[in-house]
Amino acid sequence: MHSDIAYDISAQSESEDSLSLPLVGIIYGNVGTTEFKCNIIGPVEQTEYVQMRHEKVGWVLGQVDTIQRKTDLSLEKAQEMAEGQEMDIKELVSADISVIGYRDDRGLLQVPRTPFKAGERIYRASEDLIREVIGLKDNPEKGAYVGMLNGHDIKIYLDINTIVQKHMSVLAKTGAGKSYITGVIIEEMMKHGVTLLILDPHGEYSSMKDPAKDTGDPRFDVSPRSYSDRMIVFSPDTKINPDARPLKFTLSSMDARSLLELMGLKAGSNLKPLRAAIDYLKGVKPAYMIKDIITVLEADEEHDYGILVNALDYLEDMNIFAPQGTKISEIVQPGKTSIINLKGTPPEIQQLIVNRIATALFELRKIGKIPPMMMVVEEAHNYCPQQGKVASSGIMRTIAGEGRKFGLGMAIISQRPAKVDKNVLSQCNTQFILKVTNPNDIKAVVDSVEGLTSGMADLIQHIPLGVAIVTGGGISMPLFVEVRPRETRHGGESIKIL
Ligand SMILES: Nc1ncnc2c1ncn2[C@@H]1O[C@H](COP(=O)(O)OP(=O)(O)O)[C@@H](O)[C@H]1O
Ligand SMILES: [Mg+2]
């Protein structure tokens, strides 16, 4: 098909540094300063990088936005073809190229102020030019290796301090690979000795103790590895999660109001008797338990506290209170990753647990009692919803706003970006975006991500599994990254129904 392309490319002046680069095509049509069209005869796909020479500034980096195959097959001819006629179809491939820019003498990213010339050749971009213009550092010691630039053999390292200190988010629909890439980032954090706490509602992160069975494409240079020596798993429910250490809270640190909130009961007529029972117990039995509160309430023969007692019974069954709660110093250990496995725990109890732990981390971090660290929040829409208020809403917002001042970073993961508190989402400066299709969610993502072009917003709906748009993390522009394979076993394997 390409043989009927009419350009005589040998007539162009050849420059020595372009010789080794594959020719992609030639600029044609009306040429803008930030966008132009080019025919495609060489190896290049959407989102990949190209380079072209500008008469004033030299080599400039561009990116392939969209590719279109233009044909002379008309509706009428297609009809004839369907009826069995042979057709000679002429076709040409055209691409829209965005101008990314070049670095000037001071190293600043610039875009030429006059258009390129029609007839100018477009080449596949060299690794050196991509690195220079995008500003990729090759400093693997301090970097988090997340994958390769899509379509190019260039490893992408993000700045660990930027990720941890400025909060990050992973946003995509279910099954798009959020937990997988979060696992990649956690591996990099563990490797670099970052202290982590993972709120894990599905119990899928404990699998990181095991090395991956295979590490996929050798291009990525990933070897299976176990991080079991750096991981500690806690769970409020050690019946469902027998390998975890028990996570318990001290009942005496809960006042009547927060207990009612936890049980989903209105203060109304419940607050007074509950408060009285707790006050009484504090005097006679400092290490009281839920069943002691029930005993006191039932001893009152003049009143029927049926509803309150039933709710307390339910809480008692949760088995999350103990005379001595789990100490934060046991949960958070320098350079270690602690997983709070919340599998099997009802949502309102999860929110209470998240509230308690997050509040403790924030307060202790303020006074330097725990090391700088990052808290990973899976299913974040449940802990800081955009609508309504749950036990953990306030502290999540506080950490999003003030955490970075105290060295407490957050990773927000959600399949419903539109349902996550905007005040929290807007504070995440490093973003990993995978496939999103719900229009409200696309809007929430575009609103929260700086530097996302409208072309990228369209692409979000079609991102293939295994590719992420990465913004921030110390890199000056959004990148399409082919996520590297995992070193550890991914625990979020979707369950096959058939
Ligand atoms: N980069 C990737 N490479 C290979 N497989 C992947 C990748 N990302 C996701 N997967 C696979 O896709 C499935 C869904 O990924 P997962 O991260 O659990 O989705 P999510 O958390 O977004 O619902 C899993 O079976 C996982 O193994
Ligand atoms: Mg997941």
Side-chain angles (χ1 to χ4, degrees):
M1 290 300 162
H2 292 142
S3 55
D4 49 24
I5 288 168
Y7 297 106
D8 175 11
I9 51 177
S10 59
Q12 295 270 328
S13 67
E14 195 68 72
S15 73
E16 60 290 354
D17 45 356
S18 65
L19 278 171
S20 57
L21 300 172
L23 183 68
V24 165
I26 303 285
I27 300 179
Y28 76 91
N30 296 330
V31 188
T33 48
T34 57
E35 247 180 10
F36 56 78
K37 291 191 182 297
C38 121
N39 75 317
I40 297 287
I41 58 159
V44 78
E45 292 183 9
Q46 217 174 7
T47 82
E48 291 180 359
Y49 293 93
V50 293
Q51 68 180 68
M52 53 275 167
R53 207 179 252 294
H54 186 276
E55 53 179 344
K56 296 223 174 77
V57 302
W59 288 116
V60 177
L61 191 70
Q63 189 172 23
V64 179
D65 269 349
T66 53
I67 304 183
Q68 197 180 38
R69 192 178 287 276
K70 301 200 184 227
T71 79
D72 68 346
L73 185 67
S74 64
L75 174 60
E76 291 74 17
K77 284 184 178 172
Q79 181 68 25
E80 287 171 36
M81 226 178 141
E83 287 160 7
Q85 290 244 16
E86 293 253 321
M87 280 296 159
D88 179 26
I89 306 167
K90 287 211 173 62
E91 57 179 37
L92 291 169
V93 182
S94 167
D96 286 324
I97 309 284
S98 289
V99 178
I100 304 284
Y102 65 97
R103 294 278 167 183
D104 68 10
D105 299 343
R106 291 175 297 161
L108 299 175
L109 184 66
Q110 302 283 4
V111 177
R113 277 175 233 151
T114 54
F116 289 85
K117 283 192 168 152
E120 198 67 61
R121 297 158 166 226
I122 306 291
Y123 298 91
R124 239 188 110 73
S126 71
E127 178 169 340
D128 286 348
L129 190 74
I130 294 175
R131 283 189 179 283
E132 184 193 333
V133 176
I134 294 178
L136 296 176
K137 296 180 194 79
D138 40 12
N139 182 10
E141 290 81 48
K142 279 265 185 284
Y145 170 39
V146 292
M148 302 238 244
L149 193 61
N150 193 34
H152 300 269
D153 272 354
I154 300 177
K155 287 188 178 145
I156 300 297
Y157 291 88
L158 304 180
D159 184 63
I160 301 230
N161 285 327
T162 308
I163 297 179
V164 176
Q165 282 164 16
K166 294 197 168 172
H167 307 311
M168 57 165 267
S169 63
V170 179
L171 307 173
K173 65 188 289 180
T174 305
K178 293 181 299 296
S179 304
Y180 192 98
I181 193 172
T182 303
V184 166
I185 297 158
I186 292 170
E187 286 167 4
E188 293 296 318
M189 301 282 169
M190 289 201 273
K191 199 178 290 176
H192 289 91
V194 176
T195 309
L196 290 172
L197 182 124
I198 305 171
L199 299 166
D200 180 12
H202 302 301
E204 54 185 336
Y205 286 94
S206 309
S207 68
M208 298 187 74
K209 288 183 167 179
D210 309 329
K213 285 212 181 70
D214 75 288
T215 42
D217 197 333
R219 218 160 51 87
F220 287 95
D221 269 338
V222 172
S223 310
R225 179 168 175 182
S226 155
Y227 287 92
S228 60
D229 57 332
R230 307 185 188 186
M231 295 170 54
I232 327 161
V233 183
F234 294 88
S235 178
D237 192 336
T238 46
K239 281 199 204 91
I240 297 184
N241 309 299
D243 295 337
R245 296 191 199 178
L247 178 71
K248 300 284 177 208
F249 297 90
T250 318
L251 185 59
S252 58
S253 65
M254 295 274 296
D255 62 10
R257 205 175 273 280
S258 33
L259 267 181
L260 287 173
E261 205 173 288
L262 179 62
M263 296 183 287
L265 291 183
K266 292 226 155 54
S269 58
N270 295 311
L271 185 60
K272 219 170 139 199
L274 184 59
R275 193 176 269 163
I278 289 175
D279 286 346
Y280 168 75
L281 283 166
K282 282 198 166 143
V284 297
K285 188 181 180 190
Y288 63 91
M289 296 295 290
I290 299 267
K291 61 180 184 315
D292 298 313
I293 305 178
I294 296 174
T295 308
V296 172
L297 289 170
E298 283 182 338
D300 183 345
E301 283 168 7
E302 281 167 41
H303 297 93
D304 177 13
Y305 298 121
I307 294 171
L308 185 55
V309 167
N310 276 347
L312 285 164
D313 264 334
Y314 172 74
L315 204 55
E316 159 88 6
D317 285 347
M318 289 296 110
N319 205 19
I320 56 166
F321 293 111
Q324 252 318 316
T326 315
K327 289 201 173 63
I328 275 291
S329 60
E330 188 192 339
I331 300 175
V332 175
Q333 297 181 23
K336 295 252 162 91
T337 290
S338 307
I339 296 175
I340 310 295
N341 182 345
L342 297 168
K343 190 174 168 189
T345 304
E348 63 278 21
I349 309 283
Q350 290 190 13
Q351 289 149 358
L352 167 97
I353 292 173
V354 171
N355 178 31
R356 296 231 122 194
I357 293 180
T359 305
L361 296 188
F362 184 66
E363 295 304 327
L364 293 173
R365 197 41 232 146
K366 269 208 255 187
I367 53 171
K369 283 268 166 71
I370 53 171
M373 62 177 294
M374 181 155 92
M375 179 171 82
V376 179
V377 191
E378 263 274 4
E379 308 282 2
H381 47 276
N382 291 334
Y383 307 112
C384 49
Q386 166 68 10
Q387 281 187 346
K389 191 169 175 284
V390 301
S392 46
S393 292
I395 186 64
M396 294 286 287
R397 208 181 257 204
T398 303
I399 296 177
E402 296 176 52
R404 75 193 68 172
K405 273 200 303 234
F406 304 110
L408 178 57
M410 225 175 7
I412 292 293
I413 298 140
S414 176
Q415 73 261 24
R416 292 309 316 273
K419 295 199 169 173
V420 180
D421 185 349
K422 303 230 163 351
N423 293 293
V424 173
L425 214 50
S426 62
Q427 298 293 330
C428 299
N429 296 69
T430 302
Q431 281 122 338
F432 300 85
I433 295 148
L434 305 124
K435 186 174 186 161
V436 182
T437 49
N438 177 300
N440 291 328
D441 291 330
I442 293 176
K443 186 174 181 310
V445 168
V446 172
D447 287 350
S448 73
V449 179
E450 236 175 89
L452 209 61
T453 62
S454 57
M456 280 186 176
D458 292 337
L459 284 175
I460 291 177
Q461 302 175 56
H462 308 290
I463 303 178
L465 182 68
V467 176
I469 299 180
V470 180
T471 76
I475 292 175
S476 57
M477 63 189 78
L479 301 181
F480 284 83
V481 175
E482 223 181 314
V483 180
R484 74 155 170 79
R486 287 275 297 270
E487 297 170 329
T488 61
R489 185 163 71 82
H490 176 49
E493 247 78 32
S494 40
I495 296 147
K496 290 204 175 64
I497 294 167
L498 289 171

